[in-house]
Amino acid sequence: MVAMQVSRYAAPDAFAAAVEPFLAAREAEHNLMLGILSNLVHDLASYDGVPLLASVSGPAGGVVGAAIRTPPHNLVISEFDDPDAVVRLAAELALEPLPGAVGPPAAVRDFSDARSAGRGGPWRVVREERIYRLTEVRTPRPAEGAARLAEASDRATVGSWLVDFEREALDEHVEAGLLARALDAWQRGARRFWLWEVDGRPVSMVGAGGRTPNGVRIGPVYTPPAQRGRGFASRLTAFVSQAMLDEGRTYCFLYTDLGNPTANRIYQGIGYEPVTDALMVSFES
């Protein structure tokens, strides 16, 4: 019998041709990976360093799993139909200096256990997440203010809130160079941000980017602590989601932290329905 085969790719186009049919068959589950891949294909300059692009083929030759990483971020792992394929991937990537991984809980745990057994070093759970999908918006309760698309003059606000979001939601520090590239990519059109304003002052922000074949990922969603509890994020998320549907997207996707029941309740209230869970882990040196 032919063994599991791991293939590595230097070009995002070649990787996309190999794995997109597999990923798109479960579009919601793979929305993060599909979105990153779309960005790599259309705006490689948004990323620093050489991306890690890998697929695993089964004995019959078809793709049974995939992984992608854009340094310095975590490895993103797809759904795997065969646990042996996850172990084979972990062996192939054993020497890669990965900070962590995110993806389907079972696949991430199997990958992490295999990596730990192969090279030593423990791993730990960072966050348990849930993937949601929306096809129709339910308008939330009214909130003071209105939405508008962020413009170049909002760069300082958008940048500051991206840093705050990463620190608060992900416990990560955004390096200045990485932030500058993210903002440059936004101004090139790779991602869009909307602001909710009250009396001409921004009080909340929602982004949209990372296109999939039929959808788009919503996020980050950020409201400064002093402005929370007033419905700004709910209204703005609903507004942005409707805008994406109006542009022709069939789905909107977003990730939530299962440790934040308030956010999960709010998103379900505007029409987001749970699809599956995801797990983020870190690898200790």
Side-chain angles (χ1 to χ4, degrees), residues 7 47 93 136-137 151 197 211 225 259:
S7 299
Y47 297 94
L93 303 184
E136 183 177 355
V137 174
E151 302 172 347
E197 284 191 336
R211 292 200 165 201

Side-chain angles (χ1 to χ4, degrees), residues 28-279:
E29 292 87 337
H30 295 139
N31 77 89
L32 176 59
M33 186 177 290
L34 284 164
I36 294 171
L37 182 53
S38 175
N39 289 341
L40 281 173
V41 169
H42 295 104
D43 192 27
L44 184 58
S46 298
Y47 297 94
D48 184 29
V50 178
L52 187 162
L53 309 169
S55 68
V56 185
S57 299
V63 172
V64 296
I68 188 170
R69 181 183 181 231
T70 53
H73 303 295
N74 289 330
L75 183 74
V76 182
I77 298 174
S78 74
E79 296 277 348
F80 276 80
D81 298 324
D82 188 332
D84 290 341
V86 184
V87 175
R88 178 69 185 86
L89 178 68
E92 172 68 24
L93 303 184
L95 299 182
E96 292 284 346
L98 305 175
V102 61
V108 169
R109 291 181 185 278
D110 288 345
F111 180 92
S112 302
D113 284 341
R115 181 178 175 86
S116 181
R119 60 176 284 162
W123 59 272
R124 66 179 180 86
V125 172
V126 174
R127 189 167 62 256
E128 294 176 301
E129 300 177 315
R130 182 154 291 160
I131 297 172
Y132 285 86
R133 174 177 55 208
L134 173 143
T135 57
E136 183 177 355
V137 174
R138 293 197 293 268
T139 303
R141 62 183 173 88
E144 180 185 9
R148 70 166 176 86
L149 190 64
E151 302 172 347
S153 59
D154 298 304
R155 183 180 174 107
T157 297
V158 171
S160 175
W161 285 357
L162 285 175
V163 170
D164 291 343
F165 172 82
E166 292 283 335
R167 182 180 62 247
E168 181 177 326
L170 306 179
D171 195 25
E172 294 180 0
H173 172 70
V174 181
E175 297 293 339
L178 185 63
L179 177 63
R181 281 189 295 277
L183 292 172
D184 289 344
W186 156 52
Q187 294 190 265
R188 288 196 301 270
R191 173 179 291 274
R192 283 177 287 176
F193 293 97
W194 283 260
L195 302 173
W196 191 267
E197 284 191 336
V198 176
D199 297 329
R201 181 169 57 94
V203 295
S204 188
M205 178 179 76
V206 172
R211 292 200 165 201
T212 68
N214 301 290
V216 65
R217 190 172 71 254
I218 302 299
V221 177
Y222 183 75
T223 303
Q227 304 296 338
R228 292 174 190 171
R230 306 182 191 184
F232 300 144
S234 298
R235 289 287 295 186
L236 186 55
T237 303
F239 178 91
V240 173
S241 301
Q242 186 62 59
M244 295 298 95
L245 298 180
D246 291 345
E247 288 183 3
R249 299 287 95 186
T250 303
Y251 310 113
C252 293
F253 307 109
L254 60 74
Y255 280 73
T256 66
D257 180 354
L258 283 177
N260 185 342
T262 299
N264 283 267
R265 184 176 66 253
I266 287 172
Y267 294 132
Q268 290 182 69
I270 62 176
Y272 280 89
E273 299 178 344
V275 176
T276 191
D277 289 348
L279 182 69

